[in-house]
Amino acid sequence: MELDQLKNIWDKEDVSETPKISLEKQKEIHLPLEKIRKNMRQEFWWTVVMFLLIILFFVLKDMHIFRFKVYVITLVSAQMLVTSFYFFKFFNLYQNLTTVDFNTVENLRDLSYQFKLNEQYYLSFYISFVPFVVAEMLLMFEFIPNLKNIGGAEFIVTFLGLCIFTLLLLYFIGTWWFKRLYGKYISQITQITANLK
């Protein structure tokens, strides 16, 4: 195509206005967004309380093996660092949800993209816990007397079985948790956005 033809095509396109969204549709979108915001706040505070209780438990618990206590507190602290990184990303979405203008379809598409991105963050958050789960299993087998005496093939089968069971449980709980707190509301917003096309 020649440059003149491209210019003619460009001039024919009307890009002066972006499509507007009616007030009725904006109100429809607002309800699931408010539910998502509420669930994000609750999840944040639940996580903070959970970590505080875990640390308090291990700090106050009188353990006979000091090294085990140090290892567990170190692991929990590392988990807190990883969690804080993901909550920082989560907080960015939360801020965007409170500042997004829903007058245009393009803003809704951008919001849908942010939801997909944060769903991937959520999945990677659970995947990031794989090394922690394995390390915690190793600690259990090293310091708990009943498990410490297991050896050979029985150790391998028991260790791998517990790791796989715990990781699958973590995956299914994480998937269920995301769908329960966010998935259905994201689907509602995606459906509204799809109907606006």
Side-chain angles (χ1 to χ4, degrees):
M1 230 182 239
E2 293 182 18
L3 186 58
D4 292 332
Q5 288 176 327
L6 284 173
K7 286 181 183 178
N8 289 337
I9 292 171
W10 184 270
D11 290 338
K12 288 179 186 177
E13 287 187 21
D14 184 21
V15 291
S16 59
E17 257 187 61
T18 55
K20 297 284 182 183
I21 297 174
S22 69
L23 287 174
E24 179 184 309
K25 290 292 182 187
Q26 288 182 36
K27 288 178 184 176
E28 263 184 72
I29 293 166
H30 182 71
L31 181 63
L33 277 178
E34 191 53 44
K35 297 276 189 184
I36 289 172
R37 284 186 208 119
K38 178 185 172 202
N39 288 342
M40 289 173 92
R41 286 188 301 267
Q42 285 179 345
E43 185 175 15
F44 173 76
W45 289 113
W46 289 340
T47 305
V48 168
V49 168
M50 180 190 68
F51 272 119
L52 288 175
L53 289 175
I54 289 171
I55 287 179
L56 190 65
F57 172 77
F58 283 111
V59 167
L60 296 179
K61 180 147 175 72
D62 183 32
M63 294 184 182
H64 300 292
I65 304 171
F66 179 73
R67 285 188 349 188
F68 179 72
K69 186 175 183 177
V70 170
Y71 292 156
V72 170
I73 290 173
T74 303
L75 270 175
V76 171
S77 299
Q79 288 174 329
M80 287 176 60
L81 285 173
V82 169
T83 303
S84 63
F85 167 77
Y86 284 102
F87 269 115
F88 174 74
K89 295 292 186 184
F90 213 42
F91 182 69
N92 287 339
L93 175 64
Y94 182 83
Q95 281 186 316
N96 286 342
L97 291 180
T98 57
T99 60
V100 169
D101 178 22
F102 301 109
N103 291 333
T104 65
V105 175
E106 191 57 41
N107 287 348
L108 278 180
R109 288 186 187 134
D110 182 52
L111 184 64
S112 294
Y113 171 75
Q114 288 181 42
F115 283 141
K116 287 178 185 173
L117 185 62
N118 274 279
E119 186 174 356
Q120 294 303 314
Y121 284 146
Y122 218 85
L123 177 64
S124 66
F125 172 70
Y126 283 100
I127 291 172
S128 71
F129 273 79
V130 170
F132 295 115
V133 168
V134 173
E136 287 162 2
M137 291 293 168
L138 286 170
L139 284 175
M140 283 174 43
F141 276 89
E142 188 63 32
F143 289 102
I144 295 177
N146 294 344
L147 295 174
K148 190 176 184 177
N149 297 331
I150 298 174
E154 186 183 1
F155 166 75
I156 293 171
V157 170
T158 308
F159 177 73
L160 289 178
L162 274 173
C163 283
I164 291 169
F165 172 77
T166 306
L167 292 173
L168 286 174
L169 185 66
L170 184 67
Y171 170 77
F172 287 118
I173 288 174
T175 304
W176 171 80
W177 186 261
F178 182 82
K179 285 180 182 174
R180 183 179 170 274
L181 290 182
Y182 308 109
K184 58 185 173 182
Y185 304 117
I186 291 173
S187 295
Q188 289 174 5
I189 293 168
T190 305
Q191 186 65 32
I192 293 168
T193 304
N195 291 338
L196 290 173
K197 291 179 182 178

